[in-house]
Amino acid sequence: MSLHSQALIPNTFTYVDDGSTVTDFLPAERARGITIQSAAITFHWPPSKAENKAAVGAIGKPAVPLSQSLEPHTVNLIDTPGHADFTFEVLRSLRILDGAVCILDGVAGVEAQTEKVWYQAATYKIPKIIYVNKLDRDGAAFGKTIREIASKLHTWPAVCQLPWFEGGNGRFVGIVDIVGLKALRWPDGGDGKTIKIIGLDELEALEPKLTEMARRARTALIELLGEHDDLIIEKYLECNEDHMAILAEDIKAALRRCVLNQNNIVPVFAGASFRNIGVQPLLDAIIGLLPSPEESPDPAISVGGTKGGLRQMIEGKLTLTKADIPSKAKHAILSKKSPSATIAKLESCALAFKVVNDPKRGVLVYVRVYHGVIQRNSVLFNTNLQVSERVPRLLEMYASDAVEVASLSAGQIGVIVGLKYARTGDTLLVYTGANPKSGPPAPVNTLQLRPIEVPPPVFFASIESQSLSEQQTVANSLAILLREDPSLHLSVDEDSGQTLLSGMGELHLEIARDRLVQDLKAKASMGKIEIGYRECLLAPGGPFTALFDRETAGRSGKAACTAFVGPLIETSTDAEVGRIDTTFQQDGNVINVHLIRSTDQETDSDSSTTSIPSHLSETVIRTALQNGVLTALARGPQHSFALHSTHVSITLDLSTQVFGTDTTPSALTSAARLATQAAMKQSFQQVSTVLMEPVMKVIISIDEDSLGSVVHDLSSSRGGHIISLDDADIVSAAGNSGQTRDDVSLIDMRRVYSPPDPFDVTSTLAEDEVSMASIGNRQRTISARVPLKEMVGYLKHLRSLTGGRGTFVMTVDRFERMGSQREKAVLKDMRGI
């Protein structure tokens, strides 16, 4: 996804078509013609007042400058991937953005992956505008795309521009500005800097049909805004209910209010970036409609156990309690300095959202600054890792190029060079008078911005070094790879000793392999891509009590506990009297931790800790027991796959299974692991475990002509279950936005304005022919659940079934038990048994 403008680098043009896009600078990106990693650029729009005026009067009658905005604005732009395998690149970019431009293909319309990213942006409440690109290509249909925006994205399209096709069905030569009631025409073969402006009266003499369409579009735009904005209604009444008399400034203000308030209205613009048509008005819309950093929602933070907003905390409106202060630092809250005085010394706050290992510059940490200014040579405190690092250099990025700067201020996206420890999602602070070792005082040292969620991996492949001497080099290269991309996971198979690399998809692992071998020069090879299966217990096991009594590193450790395991659906989580119960849910398993007190103790919270040694606490005990259980669950008793849908109940009697100072957290973890493993083995001895496989939620977009063959292939050849046809747009919307079907707002398509397309077949056929043609060319959406194993290599197969027009996206839906025949086939395929 790329937007090209000569304003970014004067007299330099780059294009997706020839692989020269500035933001797609990796060799793999240019070879495949896709975006693989997000790239950031910083530019100013308009570039300068002198350049802005240079184009005036360049051709014929009055021309417009490059931008209608007089004052330059700094814009931080991030180009994100469109492929489903690189969802994490999109998620970590959405996390730090203030606004988004959704670029649609005027020929393909709203595609399946577009829907997914749209609803991901909705979860972060990011204001959006839409740009319909490639309108110069054969088959471009602006009106059809507008209707798909309403039906598939479930939002009201506010048509702000119309495409200008010469003579009604000729070449794409410009756009009609519905807000300003004027036409903009770009000369053929130009560089986009020269634009001719034509008033509506003059346009009527040249293009009467287009002018009438513009008037209808202006009426539809005012009526749509009037349903969501009261002020535009007042302007409409002041203009004697004349839609054409309302000032452009009033309409822009109404559009901006609707975008910032997220009233389910999205402004839509038109253009053809390859021919530099429509780029400048789009940049004006970005400046005029999307929010500045000050207008964005207050960044979510957590300070100890308190959650709130960053601005709220800085202004002293966030109440902090003693629970937010670590026990070792509670004296800070009792000192003469109040929490507000402590917070006042916070100079800046930033979030690290991306780490890149550059072969020339070293480690580059991309940050978004939310408060204050980060200066060169200042000391950053990482609240996630509790370490301090100095800032040697600061950069503003232009894809792979960079400009060194002295500081980064609030709202900016930039790069810090040379940080050794910072990872994706870490919060970085600059604090006046901070201790170089221990960092800022409490509670500032616990301040953390909202983290970046990492989706779980679904594919894995083995990584092997070519020789023993290369093992350490390969391990170091893998560490760099994982620091750059947290959606990659590394594990070791205990049976084979193989190193397994897990990722989001086939292409994701393929790119990781290329990066490892070609860029990092690691002498390693990748094995066949496999699926991450799970095991499930079918019978209860236990209760089993295990005693850990062993000396480790010269220190004795002794602890005991009792474990009970079983299938999740057959066990109860009810708490019993005399227990301190805590429930954890992780990776599809439920863990209950029970701490049994002495029967003669009171039940109030103060006395519940009397039998706990002073060096331990309930929190430490629960965490240690949970870690032991998770370690045991990571390896199944039969096939060594991680367990799923398992309920574990771990019980610790504080009076008989705790042995004073000998009971350490590591001893408790080991006891829980031993007890859980023994209970699992007992369950397996009764009934064998069953394999579970990941089942994907698949949304496929195809033509009506291909519907039958694709549905038959899914249901018969791939063991899939069809959820819905066509109406799956609603199911997709709900699934991608975390809502239920009823929560997704329905758009009345009869009230959506969409201009007629120049080559629309429905305008030339008879009525009975129209219905047949529309059925044959109709886009259908299939929503299905399919085992992940059957989706390996599915894209090539889908393209062969649909003549290259089919697309799909998939996400992990759940794990399901396999039938005995399918389990045997999978085990035979994996291990040859």
Side-chain angles (χ1 to χ4, degrees):
M1 183 172 71
S2 185
L3 178 65
H4 315 294
S5 172
Q6 71 289 341
L8 306 182
I9 297 183
N11 303 318
T12 302
F13 295 89
T14 62
Y15 301 100
V16 173
D17 302 65
D18 60 10
S20 63
T21 312
V22 171
T23 52
D24 294 341
F25 56 86
L26 291 179
E29 292 178 314
R30 298 196 168 183
R32 291 174 169 83
I34 62 172
T35 301
I36 292 172
Q37 69 171 15
S38 56
I41 61 175
T42 301
F43 65 94
H44 302 282
W45 183 256
S48 67
K49 291 184 179 180
E51 236 181 303
N52 196 28
K53 296 177 180 177
V56 179
I59 64 170
K61 291 194 176 181
V64 302
L66 286 176
S67 171
Q68 298 174 25
S69 175
L70 297 179
E71 295 299 326
H73 294 74
T74 300
V75 179
N76 295 290
L77 183 146
I78 294 183
D79 179 27
T80 60
H83 197 284
D85 280 15
F86 307 105
T87 296
F88 179 68
E89 285 291 326
V90 179
L91 288 175
R92 65 172 160 189
S93 299
L94 289 174
R95 167 64 185 81
I96 52 91
L97 294 178
D98 296 322
V101 180
C102 177
I103 302 181
L104 301 180
D105 187 328
V107 179
V110 178
E111 300 178 79
Q113 181 65 8
T114 305
E115 296 179 59
K116 181 176 181 180
V117 176
W118 182 269
Y119 294 111
Q120 286 173 338
T123 60
Y124 287 101
K125 298 181 180 180
I126 296 176
K128 301 174 284 292
I129 63 175
I130 290 178
Y131 174 64
V132 182
N133 192 20
K134 301 183 181 179
L135 291 174
D136 58 328
R137 296 193 175 184
D138 293 339
F142 184 75
K144 178 179 76 72
T145 304
I146 293 295
R147 293 189 292 273
E148 289 185 357
I149 290 170
S151 63
K152 293 186 176 183
L153 302 183
H154 308 284
T155 190
W156 291 99
V159 179
C160 298
Q161 294 174 352
L162 292 178
W164 180 357
F165 295 99
E166 198 170 37
N169 56 6
R171 295 177 300 112
F172 178 59
V173 296
I175 59 172
V176 179
D177 181 1
I178 303 304
V179 177
L181 292 178
K182 59 191 175 188
L184 304 176
R185 178 162 182 161
W186 282 258
D188 294 337
D191 58 4
K193 292 184 178 181
T194 307
I195 312 167
K196 185 178 181 180
I197 183 170
I198 301 173
L200 210 59
D201 293 337
E202 185 180 351
L203 181 66
E204 189 167 18
L206 298 173
E207 302 278 358
K209 290 185 178 179
L210 180 61
T211 306
E212 181 59 30
M213 286 170 52
R215 290 193 174 99
R216 289 202 301 268
R218 167 62 95 93
T219 301
L221 178 61
I222 298 300
E223 291 180 353
L224 176 61
L225 292 174
E227 294 178 7
H228 299 83
D229 185 78
D230 293 335
L231 293 180
I232 198 68
I233 293 294
E234 295 178 8
K235 298 295 181 181
Y236 173 68
L237 296 175
E238 290 175 5
C239 295
N240 297 319
E241 301 184 6
D242 184 357
H243 299 89
M244 311 301 290
I246 301 176
L247 296 177
E249 289 72 18
D250 295 330
I251 299 176
K252 291 177 184 177
L255 281 168
R256 182 175 175 79
R257 287 191 294 270
C258 289
V259 170
L260 297 186
N261 295 333
Q262 301 193 44
N263 291 340
N264 205 28
I265 287 181
V266 57
V268 183
F269 301 88
S273 296
F274 183 73
R275 292 176 54 194
N276 305 297
I277 296 177
V279 176
Q280 297 94 334
L282 175 65
L283 290 171
D284 284 339
I286 292 172
I287 299 299
L289 299 181
L290 293 179
S292 65
E294 293 78 12
E295 296 169 309
S296 299
D298 194 1
I301 63 167
S302 64
V303 183
T306 300
K307 294 184 178 181
L310 180 61
R311 298 190 199 115
Q312 186 184 10
M313 186 195 76
I314 293 170
E315 294 169 1
K317 299 177 181 178
L318 185 64
T319 303
L320 301 177
T321 64
K322 288 186 177 181
D324 302 318
I325 312 301
S327 58
K328 294 181 180 179
K330 284 187 178 178
H331 64 275
I333 200 76
L334 300 175
S335 65
K336 295 181 180 180
K337 294 182 179 180
S338 64
S340 58
T342 304
I343 294 170
K345 292 186 176 182
L346 179 64
E347 289 186 31
S348 63
C349 178
L351 180 73
F353 68 94
K354 184 180 176 70
V355 179
V356 174
N357 188 72
D358 188 274
K360 296 180 180 178
R361 303 183 184 96
V363 176
L364 307 180
V365 179
Y366 287 72
V367 297
R368 160 69 192 265
V369 184
Y370 284 100
H371 168 68
V373 179
I374 296 179
Q375 304 280 354
R376 185 190 302 146
N377 292 324
S378 58
V379 177
L380 288 176
F381 182 73
N382 188 323
T383 61
N384 296 75
L385 301 177
Q386 296 290 302
V387 296
S388 296
E389 297 185 78
R390 187 170 292 278
V391 178
R393 295 170 61 200
L394 293 171
L395 304 177
E396 272 189 0
M397 297 301 295
Y398 186 80
S400 59
D401 297 324
V403 177
E404 190 160 349
V405 295
S407 62
L408 295 174
S409 57
Q412 281 191 291
I413 292 173
V415 166
I416 303 175
V417 182
L419 296 185
K420 295 181 180 180
Y421 305 107
R423 310 161 304 175
T424 296
D426 284 353
T427 300
L428 307 174
L429 307 178
V430 177
Y431 188 86
T432 304
N435 187 305
K437 293 185 178 180
S438 60
V444 178
N445 62 350
T446 62
L447 166 65
Q448 291 187 6
L449 290 159
R450 179 182 177 183
I452 300 173
E453 296 180 2
V454 181
V458 290
F459 285 86
F460 71 89
S462 61
I463 295 286
E464 295 182 0
S465 59
Q466 295 180 359
S467 64
L468 288 174
S469 61
E470 294 293 333
Q471 280 187 348
Q472 189 57 47
T473 304
V474 172
N476 295 337
S477 300
L478 286 171
I480 293 172
L481 209 65
L482 265 63
R483 189 183 179 192
E484 288 186 349
D485 186 357
S487 62
L488 291 170
H489 293 254
L490 206 62
S491 60
V492 177
D493 188 306
E494 294 186 13
D495 280 346
S496 62
Q498 284 184 312
T499 300
L500 303 178
L501 184 66
S502 307
M504 301 299 299
E506 299 170 83
L507 182 59
H508 189 201
L509 289 179
E510 185 180 334
I511 296 298
R513 178 200 62 197
D514 293 346
R515 179 113 173 81
L516 184 69
V517 175
Q518 298 175 10
D519 297 344
L520 301 178
K521 307 301 181 183
K523 295 181 179 181
S525 59
M526 181 177 287
K528 181 181 175 183
I529 294 177
E530 303 286 354
I531 310 298
Y533 296 102
R534 301 288 188 270
E535 280 186 58
C536 178
L537 300 176
L538 296 180
F544 190 92
T545 300
L547 174 65
F548 177 83
D549 188 1
R550 189 177 304 169
E551 186 174 297
T552 305
R555 183 178 179 182
S556 62
K558 185 176 182 181
C561 64
T562 303
F564 176 86
V565 301
L568 183 59
I569 57 175
E570 297 178 9
T571 56
S572 171
T573 60
D574 294 337
E576 297 180 11
V577 177
R579 292 183 171 185
I580 307 170
D581 291 328
T582 308
T583 300
F584 302 95
Q585 294 188 14
Q586 189 166 331
D587 299 329
N589 301 306
V590 173
I591 304 170
N592 285 115
V593 176
H594 312 289
L595 305 185
I596 301 179
R597 301 188 296 267
S598 301
T599 56
D600 59 342
Q601 290 180 348
E602 299 293 334
T603 59
D604 60 85
S605 58
D606 291 335
S607 63
S608 63
T609 60
T610 55
S611 58
I612 298 178
S614 59
H615 67 287
L616 297 174
S617 66
E618 287 182 15
T619 302
V620 170
I621 292 174
R622 284 194 294 265
T623 302
L625 294 174
Q626 180 193 7
N627 291 339
V629 173
L630 291 175
T631 303
L633 293 177
R635 182 180 173 86
Q638 185 171 3
H639 302 295
S640 299
F641 290 112
L643 282 160
H644 193 278
S645 300
T646 302
H647 177 223
V648 181
S649 179
I650 198 86
T651 304
L652 178 69
D653 192 325
L654 297 174
S655 60
T656 61
Q657 295 179 328
V658 175
F659 305 94
T661 56
D662 288 345
T663 302
T664 61
S666 60
L668 288 168
T669 298
S670 299
R673 174 178 57 82
L674 294 173
T676 305
Q677 288 175 337
M680 287 163 46
K681 183 177 180 181
Q682 189 180 75
S683 169
F684 166 59
Q685 289 172 346
Q686 298 179 51
V687 183
S688 298
T689 62
V690 64
L691 278 186
M692 302 183 74
E693 63 179 338
V695 175
M696 311 302 289
K697 174 76 173 294
V698 185
I699 299 175
I700 306 172
S701 296
I702 54 170
D703 290 338
E704 178 78 24
D705 295 337
S706 307
L707 182 65
S709 58
V710 173
V711 169
H712 180 267
D713 177 66
L714 287 174
S715 57
S716 61
S717 303
R718 300 181 183 276
H721 171 65
I722 306 298
I723 300 173
S724 60
L725 301 174
D726 232 15
D727 291 337
D729 294 331
I730 305 296
V731 177
S732 168
N736 285 318
S737 61
Q739 299 172 309
T740 64
R741 186 185 180 99
D742 295 333
D743 292 331
V744 179
S745 59
L746 296 176
I747 303 297
D748 186 353
M749 296 300 298
R750 295 170 297 180
R751 297 171 54 204
V752 174
Y753 170 77
S754 61
D757 293 316
F759 302 102
D760 192 350
V761 68
T762 58
S763 62
T764 57
L765 295 178
E767 185 175 347
D768 56 343
E769 294 174 317
V770 168
S771 60
M772 294 301 295
S774 61
I775 290 174
N777 296 322
R778 183 182 176 189
Q779 281 290 113
R780 301 296 297 269
T781 303
I782 303 170
S783 181
R785 288 190 179 94
V786 188
L788 175 58
K789 186 177 187 298
E790 305 301 331
M791 297 304 295
V792 176
Y794 181 67
L795 182 59
K796 294 179 181 178
H797 184 69
L798 177 65
R799 287 175 176 170
S800 68
L801 289 176
T802 61
R805 293 185 294 272
T807 60
F808 79 97
V809 292
M810 65 178 183
T811 54
V812 178
D813 186 53
R814 58 190 175 192
F815 280 84
E816 288 185 353
R817 294 182 182 182
M818 292 185 188
S820 58
Q821 294 299 321
R822 182 169 178 80
E823 182 176 328
K824 289 179 181 178
V826 167
L827 290 173
K828 183 177 181 181
D829 183 51
M830 284 193 305
R831 302 174 180 175
I833 58 175

